[in-house]
Amino acid sequence: MIKSFIKLCIYFCAAVGFLFFVFLTISAYHKISSYRFLNAQNKVIIVNLNEEFPEKAKNGLLNSFIYGAQTSFSSLLLALKRAEEDPSVKTLLVIGNNSSLGLAQTQELRAAVLRLKKAGKKTIFWAEDTSLKEYYLASVFEERISPESGEMSLTGLRLGMPFVKEGLEKFGIQPQFYGKFEYKSAIASLTEEEMPEPVKRNMEEVLSNLFRTLVYETETVLKKQEGYVSSFEELINDAPFSAQEGLEKKLLTRLAYYEDIIDEETEKNLIPVPVSVYSSLEEDSYTSGSHQLALIYIAGDIQSGTDSTDSFGFVEATGSASVVTQIAAAREDSSVKAILLRIDSGGGSYTASDAIRHQVLKAKEEKPVVCSIGNTGASGAYFIASACSVILADSLSLTGSIGVFGGKVVFRDFLEKFGIRFDSIQIGKNAGFYDLTQPWNEEQIQIFNKSLDRAYKDFTKKVAQSRHLTEEEMDTRARGRLFSGSQAQLNNLIDHTGGLTEAIQTAGEILEYPNDFRFQIITYDSEDDFSLKDLISNPLLKSSLFVSGGKSFDAWRFAQDFLNAKGMARSPYVLTCD
């Protein structure tokens, strides 16, 4: 017995040692491969938007082993910022097929391309099929190219949400959900068959504002080029059309295949360098210096407890305990001069959001806390943002949605269809309040709505105090209304429009640093998945900014949270740009 156990331990240690050796070998290979690009005097940086560039990165051992390290969106932006000042970088080539970026991220990448052009770099955009979102990006490039078989799918914007009430009824599932107030539409997915009229009006206003921004900024660039005489909005209404027609309409500069473009660049003695490799090169002004800026992510669903990940190490949800620990560590670190919260979240648990917000307020007493809202910073995520010293959002961000909802899904009739019944003994009038087999009676519904009223009052009061709004002014901005970033600025919910790069600059301005100052940017990363770091280091790790991959909020977690009768502050919308 003992001998078998010893053999098992030896085999286990040997297996771990082998995996450790393989991991180190692969890491060394990638490192050596990276260094061969380091001394290249003429580089063309390649960005493939079909790859994932998540806001919050999480690299587990298994994920890194199978897929290699991904590049976070912040890493992408700062790699391009470095490329502005790098004389060896001559060209940026972006592959725009099926872009994984959201609208606001696309706007930030677009601004980065404009800065590269201003720095004298050549910019090339290539895509087989181009949506409106992708062409919004492409419009600022010096060259805009598709193959002869390409398609211009500039068909417009859609903002949608699913409605499952009828389907739930067929299965005998009863949703009991309540929201504050008429614009708080997350519960409509379960309780309505279509968008309620107030929600539809709000969404039409937001979508119209986003569309006008896209059209205006795209057309402003196109009108500067010789021969362009079209109305971009009319072109959208005529879409989709072929790449050949796009060339005739001056939307494209020429037709060519990707291999031809690569051949043209290499014939100029340019070495193609993937942005993932370029961002990982260590010689960088953003990872040196004594003045640090702590970059902390709030991405995906907000929940109590720690960050949760799937088996591959991708981030699914942001945990309040993880973020509170990270903010506290940054607050107590004397070398950290400012904190930057990067938010891409539709919200989540109200109590979890309030816990993070409280820690932000404590940190703000000692050093600036700047917020950068990416694609979405709504509901509970906006609640957190409102506590920051300064809030920035892209004009194409979605934000606001100041309101709460909650409830539970009752499965009693569904289970009875399968002959499953529950019986219980309880002490206490409302002992079964959270039981998913017992529907609420009218008195219990009133009790639950009182708890939502308390949360809503607390939410709006704290936001009003932070944004210096009266009770009446707050009411016109709350009740669950959603805003674009530009609308949010007009309503004093954010301070400035801009992305991550502008937020970093803002932190320097608050500290009255010179314009050419460079922070050392660090992240506080709590690892919950099994990874190599768990074997050799403390769970709370300082790492350089250039970390990798992840995904944000997913539909399954959204469904799971609906099963709990808790106060939620969340925005449910899915924005697509075709």
Side-chain angles (χ1 to χ4, degrees), residues 178-180 184-187 298 300-303 345-354 376-384 400-407 452 455-456 459-460 463 480 553 558 561-562 564 566-572:
Y178 308 91
K180 306 296 174 182
K184 195 65 182 176
S185 57
I187 59 173
I298 298 173
D301 195 23
I302 299 171
Q303 64 182 17
S345 168
S349 164
Y350 180 72
T351 53
S353 301
D354 189 42
T376 306
S379 206
Y382 178 76
F383 189 36
I384 296 168
S401 192
I402 300 169
V404 296
F405 73 91
L452 291 182
Y456 179 79
F459 192 166
T460 53
V463 171
F553 164 77
F558 187 65
D561 284 333
F562 265 131
N564 301 311
K566 303 292 183 182
M568 303 296 292
R570 192 207 307 278
S571 175

Side-chain angles (χ1 to χ4, degrees), residues 24 28-29 52 56 77 107 109 134 143 164 188-189 193 244 285 340 354 389 393 414 472-473 509 535 550 558 563:
L24 288 180
Y29 172 77
E52 292 289 332
K56 189 174 184 178
L77 289 182
Q107 188 174 39
L109 179 57
E134 290 156 358
E143 289 197 61
V164 297
S189 294
E193 295 179 355
Q244 179 62 48
S285 60
L340 173 56
D354 189 42
S389 310
F414 171 76
E472 294 75 17
E473 290 172 332
E509 290 169 2
L535 301 177
F558 187 65
L563 302 182

Side-chain angles (χ1 to χ4, degrees), residues 9-35:
C9 291
I10 292 172
Y11 291 148
F12 176 77
C13 292
V16 171
F18 176 74
L19 287 175
F20 185 78
F21 173 76
V22 171
F23 184 81
L24 288 180
T25 302
I26 293 174
S27 298
Y29 172 77
H30 285 299
K31 199 71 173 176
I32 293 170
S33 299
S34 299
Y35 276 123

Side-chain angles (χ1 to χ4, degrees), residues 174 193 217 233 459 500 572:
Q174 179 187 359
E193 295 179 355
E217 293 188 359
E233 187 169 349
F459 192 166
L500 185 74

